């Protein structure tokens, strides 16, 4: 089966005051219909840039797609016209953002905003679109949806606003739904509701979901497959259970064991020392080397490739040499 | 990208200066203003001529007599002498008025913004009272009531222009006092006065510095306006006075009003360029470029 | 063990802006009769969602927010009764670490001055002693002394949090209030700071009042845990008892909502306890139990009668139908 969305060797570069830096380097990912791909990593690792590239929303300048391809059902999104991209956005590709307050327009009611999104892509009148919007609000679990549709964003709570965003995103039944840290701004009980909702929506609509998060717990609950990113590269990719139970790359191992889990206390957390290096200071070697306990001369001289040398693909010299 | 750690200690002020230096219009402003200030200093301390002395025939055009390059005015006084000696009082009045504006505005604005409640209410009502007064008229009344010396003129300008600064300061203080480092200062037992002066105001400084710079320009224009209306200090040569006393003959001779007018324009313009440059330099969003 | 801090019936009210020109000024009770004890050398976690009043309760405890009523007995002395000057003196014993490492440090001061300032204010030691102490503190929290003359913006989030901790430790406090100290940090950095806080607690015998929304973090750091909802403590217990045998439906919901590596999509997990809706606004709290609107077990009595904290095993729980 060929994948619904296929990112192949994507390279994205940004012009900064430090010169041109590579924000994404040979990123290859695939997502199938009805599947959730979790993309995980610390801030600055390239997760959000990947999402924006797929949506064709890389701010340009300063950014540009410098190589590779993004294929949606065979169509290369890096080569289509802006008009075609606009038609795809919202209809085939939709995105949910971290901060639902700033992604909704404060001067229109939420019902009108959803109706507007529907009318952009479907030939229906406003009355019909508004009725559809109310049905969608009902679908995403908003109580008394016909009244809520006439509310303005500021009259809703954070959780409800995120539900509105989801309703708007799925209004045209997109084939790919990108959720960029959709629950980071929400309380934990509300986060659980949103996760459950996203899983339900996926069952109903069969959309492929790309979930961008820094939270391994969210990955565990939501993802079928996981890609771990670090400094603009995918460093490990496999089924969620494989990554969570048998992490290969030292960074993935660190990410999993540094979480203070509910099941234990008092033991010292494993630390990953240091911070993610700034992109303009990446050298020829492995970007993780300066934080890694398994570093040797080879790690400093060449970037490891994402290949399978054991359980599943990981970009690490130490794994590939059988040192860990 | 945000985690970039530079190991060269660079203070916020130094970083702003680095930004400022790259701003070409602002640097032009600095150069022009420096020339004006240097010429004024030279005129005040080293120039031997007397701007009141009648030295030549009235209304001699510029370039005719080699010793009076810029010509003479309606009484036959040297315009160049007037420019270089009148610059000092003009700039001094501008700077003094701006200083008075800043002192009153920052003090009241900081108190209102920090304490809030009835203090804020009272101070803001006072501010509004001064803000709705027609400024030029009020300054004219002040200068007429008291004798028109440089000091009263500076005071009058300061008294009518502080409300804006007070509002700006108040808004900044209200924003900053909610930040955690202010709570941190309270948590280590700092008194209110220390928090206002040593924690909040230094962080509110960038927009206030910009505003002070622009206030200097406005004050110079104000002084010129008062002098033009004949309310300047008649015993002190200033650019405004030169324009004021020559304005009746503007159709006969353009130069006695044009040169001091040009001097005022260049001063205010360069001060504005510097103010804009400072504004950009202090703006962290532009700094990343 | 001796009781360091004994908070009794602490209540905090905020007066909201007038509604309309001559309307009444509504009063919001952010913290409602909260009582807890903290023993020397232990850490008490206060857990809750936004609007639960957890941060306000902690701030009122150290008088950075004015309490309406109640007592805060710190080392035998009621902090709420002290005059301003006496309270300023007391501040050397109670210090604070903030959530946002970006806004908690004065951007215009060098970090050495930030860490030294408490000693300047309280006139502790000679200038040389102060300088030496700043260097020691820097090493203690894992920073290098050659970074002393830098400005806050030159540090990463985790490093700034270390500076904030160093500043809090300057006066040798007995109680450290930690307000969501790691929630703004990346997970890998979180672990560094949590380990540091655990080490400092053991080495210096510090007591923590630890505010967090993250149960995993609280479990890692705290000996006792209090769960707050809408200004009230709904459950309080030693750590193991709270996590292993939660009694209040809200605690149970929180535990089952927190993302966990044990729940896998591949195995088709089902949340044991699901609650709907958002945390309600504290402006008009329900008359009976605060949790009634979202509670899966709510009965008629829950709407009418406010439950009080009662012992149930090792837990103290405010619920008509615990367990």
């Amino acid at each position: 089966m060929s994948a619904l969305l296929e990112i192949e060797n994507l390279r994205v570069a940004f012009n900064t005051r430090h010169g041109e830096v590579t924000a994404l380097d040979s990123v290859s990912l695939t997502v199938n219909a009805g599947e959730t791909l979790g993309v995980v990593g610390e801030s600055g690792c390239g997760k959000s840039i990947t999402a924006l590239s797929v949506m064709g929303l890389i701010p340009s300048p300063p950014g540009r797609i410098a190589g590779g391809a993004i294929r949606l059902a065979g169509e290369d999104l890096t080569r289509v016209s802006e008009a075609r991209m606009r038609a795809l956005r919202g209809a085939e590709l939709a995105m949910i953002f971290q901060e639902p307050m700033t992604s909704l327009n404060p001067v229109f009611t939420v019902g009108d905003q959803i109706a507007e999104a529907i009318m952009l892509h479907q030939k229906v009148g406003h009355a019909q679109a508004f009725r559809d919007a109310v049905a969608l609000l009902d679908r995403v679990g908003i109580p008394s949806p016909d009244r809520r549709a006439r509310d303005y964003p500021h009259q809703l709570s954070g959780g409800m606003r995120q539900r509105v965003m989801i309703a708007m995103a799925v209004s045209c039944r997109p084939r790919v739904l990108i959720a960029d840290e959709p629950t980071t701004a929400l309380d934990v009980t509300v986060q659980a509701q949103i996760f459950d909702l996203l899983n339900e929506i996926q069952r109903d609509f069969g959309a492929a979901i790309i979930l961008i998060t820094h939270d391994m717990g969210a990955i565990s609950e939501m993802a079928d497959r996981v890609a771990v990113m670090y400094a603009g590269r995918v460093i490990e990719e496999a089924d969620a259970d494989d990554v969570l139970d048998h992490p290969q790359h030292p960074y993935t191992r660190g990410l999993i064991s540094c979480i203070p889990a509910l099941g234990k206390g008092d033991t010292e957390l494993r630390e990953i020392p240091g911070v993610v290096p700034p992109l303009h200071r990446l050298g020829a070697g492995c970007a993780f080397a300066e934080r890694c306990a398994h570093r040797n001369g080879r790690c400093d001289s060449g970037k490891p490739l994402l290949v399978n040398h054991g359980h599943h693909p990981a970009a690490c010299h130490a794994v590939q040499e059988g040192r860990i | 990208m945000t985690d970039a750690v530079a190991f060269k200690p660079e203070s916020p002020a130094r970083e702003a200066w680095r930004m400022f230096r790259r701003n070409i219009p602002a640097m032009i402003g600095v150069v022009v203003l420096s020339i004006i200030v240097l010429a004024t200093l030279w005129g005040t301390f080293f120039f031997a001529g007397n701007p009141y002395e009648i030295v030549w025939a009235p209304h001699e055009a510029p370039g005719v007599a080699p010793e009076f390059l810029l010509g003479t005015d309606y009484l036959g006084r040297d315009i160049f002498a007037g420019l270089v000696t009148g610059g000092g009082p003009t700039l001094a009045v501008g700077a003094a008025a701006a200083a008075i504006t800043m002192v009153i505005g920052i003090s009241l604005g900081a108190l209102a913004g920090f304490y809030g409640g009835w203090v804020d209410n009272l101070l803001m009502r006072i501010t509004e009272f001064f803000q709705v007064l027609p400024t030029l008229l009020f300054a004219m009344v002040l200068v007429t009531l008291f004798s028109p010396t440089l000091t009263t003129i500076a005071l009058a300008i300061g008294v009518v222009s502080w409300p804006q600064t007070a509002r700006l300061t108040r808004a900044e203080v209200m924003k900053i006092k909610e930040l955690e480092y202010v709570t941190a200062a309270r948590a280590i037992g700092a008194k209110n006065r220390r928090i206002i002066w040593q924690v909040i105001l230094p962080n509110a400084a960038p927009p206030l510095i910009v505003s002070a710079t622009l206030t200097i320009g406005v004050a110079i224009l104000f002084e010129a306006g008062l002098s033009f209306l004949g309310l300047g200090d008649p015993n002190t040569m200033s650019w405004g006075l030169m324009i004021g006393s020559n304005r009746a003959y503007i159709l006969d001779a353009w130069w006695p009003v044009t040169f001091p007018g040009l001097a005022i324009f260049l001063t205010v313009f360069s001060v504005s360029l510097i103010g804009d440059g400072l504004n950009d330099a202090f703006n962290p969003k532009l700094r990343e470029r | 063990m001796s009781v360091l801090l004994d908070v009794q019936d602490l209540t905090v009210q905020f007066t909201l802006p007038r509604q309309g020109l001559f309307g009444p000024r509504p009063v919001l009770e952010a913290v409602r009769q909260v009582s807890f004890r903290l023993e020397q050398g232990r850490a008490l976690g206060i857990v809750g969602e936004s609007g639960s009043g957890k941060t306000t309760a902690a701030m009122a405890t150290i008088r950075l927010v004015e309490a309406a009523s109640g007592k805060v007995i710190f080392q035998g002395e009621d902090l709420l009764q002290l005059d301003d000057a006496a309270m300023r003196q007391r501040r050397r014993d109670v210090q604070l670490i903030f959530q946002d490492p970006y806004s908690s440090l004065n951007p215009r001061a060098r970090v050495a001055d930030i860490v030294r300032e408490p000693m300047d204010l309280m006139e502790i030691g000679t200038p040389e002693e102060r300088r030496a102490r700043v260097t020691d503190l820097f090493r203690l929290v894992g920073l290098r002394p050659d970074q002393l003359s830098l400005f806050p913006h030159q540090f990463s989030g985790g490093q700034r949090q270390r500076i904030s901790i160093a500043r809090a430790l300057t006066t040798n406090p007995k109680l450290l209030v930690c307000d969501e100290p790691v929630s703004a940090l990346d997970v890998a950095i979180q672990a560094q700071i949590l380990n540091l806080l655990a080490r400092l607690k053991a080495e210096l015998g510090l007591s923590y009042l630890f505010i967090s929304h993250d149960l995993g973090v609280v479990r890692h750091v705290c000996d006792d845990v209090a769960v707050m909802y809408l200004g009230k403590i709904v459950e309080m217990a030693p750590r193991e008892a709270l996590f292993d045998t939660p009694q209040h439906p809200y605690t149970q919901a929180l535990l089952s909502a927190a993302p966990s590596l044990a729940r896998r999509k591949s195995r088709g997990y089902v949340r044991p306890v699901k609650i709907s809706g958002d945390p309600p606004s504290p402006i008009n709290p329900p008359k009976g139990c605060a949790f009634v609107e979202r509670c899966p077990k709510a009965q008629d009595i829950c709407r009418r009668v406010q439950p009080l904290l009662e012992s149930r095993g090792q837990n103290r729980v405010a619920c008509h139908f615990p367990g």
Side-chain angles (χ1 to χ4, degrees), chain B residues 2-13 15 179-192 194 198-199 202-206 282, chain C residues 59 63-64 88 91 94-96 98-100 102-108 110 117-118 121-122 144 147 149-151 153-157 159 167 179:
Chain B
T2 46
D3 274 337
V5 178
F7 288 101
K8 185 173 45 122
E10 190 173 43
S11 72
E15 206 172 314
L179 294 179
E180 286 182 335
Y181 59 79
V182 176
T183 314
R186 284 211 289 148
I188 58 176
K191 293 181 184 167
N192 286 342
R194 184 188 170 92
Q198 269 159 292
V199 181
N203 282 291
F282 287 130
Chain C
M59 292 295 173
R63 276 190 62 180
L64 288 173
R88 265 200 294 278
R91 292 211 179 275
V94 287
Q95 279 298 311
L96 180 62
F98 296 90
Q99 168 175 4
D100 180 1
Y102 291 89
S103 72
S104 61
L105 304 174
N106 184 345
R108 304 191 86 79
R110 290 180 195 273
E117 194 182 14
L121 280 170
M122 306 206 174
R144 297 195 314 272
Q147 296 170 312
S149 61
L150 300 183
F151 286 87
H153 70 267
Q154 289 162 309
F155 291 87
S156 68
Q159 288 175 315
R167 169 178 61 190
D179 182 13

Side-chain angles (χ1 to χ4, degrees), chain C residues 266-292:
Chain C
S266 60
R267 293 174 210 146
Y269 73 93
V270 178
R271 277 181 220 291
V273 181
K274 275 192 186 184
I275 57 172
S276 55
D278 297 272
S281 138
I283 296 181
N284 277 316
K287 229 171 73 193
C289 172
F291 188 55
V292 65

